[in-house]
Amino acid sequence: KMTVKSSLIDPDGGELVELIVPETEIGVKKAESETMPKVKLNQIDLEWVHVISEGWASPLKGFMREDEYLQSLHFNSLRLKNGTFVNMSLPIVLAIDDDTKEQIGSSENVALVCPQGDIIGSLRSVEIYKHNKEERIARTWGTTSPGLPYVEEYITPSGNWLIGGDLEVFEPIKYNDGLDHYRLSPKQLREEFDNRQADAVFAFQLRNPVHNGHALLMNDTRKRLLEMGYKNPVLLLHPLGGFTKADDVPLDVRMEQHSKVLEDGVLDPKTTIVSIFPSPMHYAGPTEVQWHAKARINAGANFYIVGRDPAGMGHPTEKRDLYDPDHGKRVLSMAPGLEKLNILPFRVAAYDTIEKKMAFFDPSRAKEFLFISGTKMRTYARTGENPPDGFMCPSGWNVLVKYYESLQESEAKQQAVVSA
Amino acid sequence: GLIEPDGGKLMNLVVEESRRRVMKHEAETVPARIKLNRVDLEWVHVLSEGWASPLKGFMRQSEFLQTLHFNSFRLEDGSVVNMSVPIVLAIDDDQKFRIGDSNQVTLVDSVGNPIAILNDIEIYKHPKEERIARTWGTTARGLPYAEEAITKAGNWLIGGDLQVLEPIKYNDGLDRFRLSPSQLREEFIRRGADAVFAFQLRNPVHNGHALLMTDTRRRLLEMGYKNPVLLLNPLGGFTKADDVPLSWRMRQHEKVLEDGVLDPETTVVSIFPSPMLYAGPTEVQWHAKARINAGANFYIVGRDPAGMGHPTEKRDLYDADHGKKVLSMAPGLERLNILPFKVAAYDKTQGKMAFFDPSRSQDFLFISGTKMRGLAKKKENPPDGFMCPSGWKVLVDYYDSLSAETGNGRVSEAVASA
């Protein structure tokens, strides 16, 4: 078989770092791990093991050691041995408590135990260092305000030490939630892009259902890439699959909604790949969007569509957005290590009340446009009200309505139980 | 030759003498003016002399964002220079309104004299919480610089290219020590320096510091340099209330040179005009970068550089090793040699400061800055050989002068009660 070199963008560091132990070595490695001190992983730790093991964070080979952690916090990038920089804006670290630290003692390697109790891999040549939570939070979010979802879920309850080392995973991470077939690794995505003979890959990340404004933007982007001379641009529609905050629409509902959008032809299934990005969500704005972009380089995308206030949220205690809506785009365009990625600005779409469809906003006839925010959309769905015709494909909308109905039913049941 | 400045040349932003009258006139005619406070003026001084080269003025938004997120800037040629501390000018809502659509503003001192013009300005929001969090790694109350210069500052930042009408002078009797980067470079060349090693401090020089500096020179000679010169470069801008003031520190440094504890032939003492942020690993990068611009190619870094105690918790704000580690990895500082600070302590068996030897740790006495200040305050003598006697006397005199002021306070109370 003749091997044709891929035209896809190179991964950071030049090659994807995949950390699944070869089958021929699994027996030996598993036996060895039984003798190692054990570190218990929670659900988010496991999501990070998944992320690292598939190479989304290439060239990172495991949880960060202190040098990597400090570079990430201060420079949002890592310097490689050859002097070049790759982006790495979020700390990918594993916290342990005092007891676990004591059990590890001077051991060089530790076994990683998943929430179900199985050893799923190991961390080698470990380094343990202090976990200054306040500093980590302040430098990552630009605030130490109470109410940051990822902080409260994951950082505040975590241990006072961080452990870094080289990761080895015994088997690909599966969730058995019926969605594993959507969880393509960077390597699998690259294979799929090559199969479809993509000469450009443009990535779009979301945490919300796809409305027709999103679809318009994605279709328009493809048209622009064709005009630029690309023959076969492929869209990577890439929702985030790890931890999200409680009021976000859950992953399974979002995925069902996305599949309706493709079934209805709102997006072309031949030139669109829908896959789950296994990272947890920090809502850390300009710091986080760099991570989102860098991971897509590793997945083979050379274009990244960035919107208003990417990875942002409302300030937890003040009546304002946590980040300036333009900062994400600006920071992304200046970020060390992301020079090879083309950042495409998100054109704003809104509901055109004259044409009765989502269209790009035209300031010259501003009064004819209706902005329907994610919040407003969820309110419509929750109250059973129909959005304006043409806002979202009907079958996609129906998924959302059913979700909020089921939410209300379960809330009603809880109330009944409490009152009984 | 000396190390090149960042960006290839020093930014001297002081208007040429031949053009000063014209520029002063222009400054008078610009309707929009911004009054500078003391710290703002210190930053104008820093910028005007090129300590922050290649920065040409107060940061515009893209520079501010790069500083906050990457501690560095990318230049047009794709290369990277370090810039870890935001150098920004804040204005309030009224000032923003009055500036309106103007493209330039005049910066005036506290009594209204024009100091500089800021050109091609850009006004953008001042995210104070985010700025503090990303610079200090905390938002705790009690950060001296944040409370002095950020919390009360306006809700907007204004950036632009700076033209300074005259060299900044303080007329405090210390201007002769305020050598600019270009003057320092001239002095190093005049002395035939083939290496310049920089040492920054905020405290009086004790014999442990002197030992370290002298030993560093010896090591550089062993490395093959013929004439290494020490830049003793104390920080001259804003410092927190319990630090020893600049004038007393400079007096103490003079004694150290007079007594020959440091060799005046191979030492240049000069004031670094920057304010102090106490921002640890973020700030020490700024301190190192500025010395590149001043011509130094070696920088001595100690334990917890630019750090302080946590304002509300019983711990240091930063890990003691992080400053050194961050400095050694910092983008844009690759060409600077970072020399680790060897720890000195008082050797009781030898009656002098010596490098700490763990194999006989019981022979050593650590005298921290806090302990030193306590001794001086109570007029207790430190162990012989800790500091040169005339230098120590300056410190005692300083704390005497503080208690005299307290005495004056008591007199005032007496008057009030009478």
Side-chain angles (χ1 to χ4, degrees), chain A residues 66 79 134 143-144 339, chain B residues 74 129 138-139 322 325 334:
Chain A
E66 192 174 44
R79 189 200 305 274
E134 182 195 35
T143 179
T144 54
E339 298 83 0
Chain B
R74 192 200 312 281
E129 182 194 35
T138 179
T139 54
H322 280 184
K325 289 188 183 199
E334 298 83 0

Side-chain angles (χ1 to χ4, degrees), chain A residues 15 21 78 86 98 121 127 160 192 200 207 215 226 272 295 322 373:
Chain A
E15 68 184 352
V21 173
L78 303 174
V86 293
D98 293 348
E127 179 190 333
N160 289 324
E192 186 61 27
R207 276 176 8 243
L226 289 167
T272 303
L322 188 45
S373 67

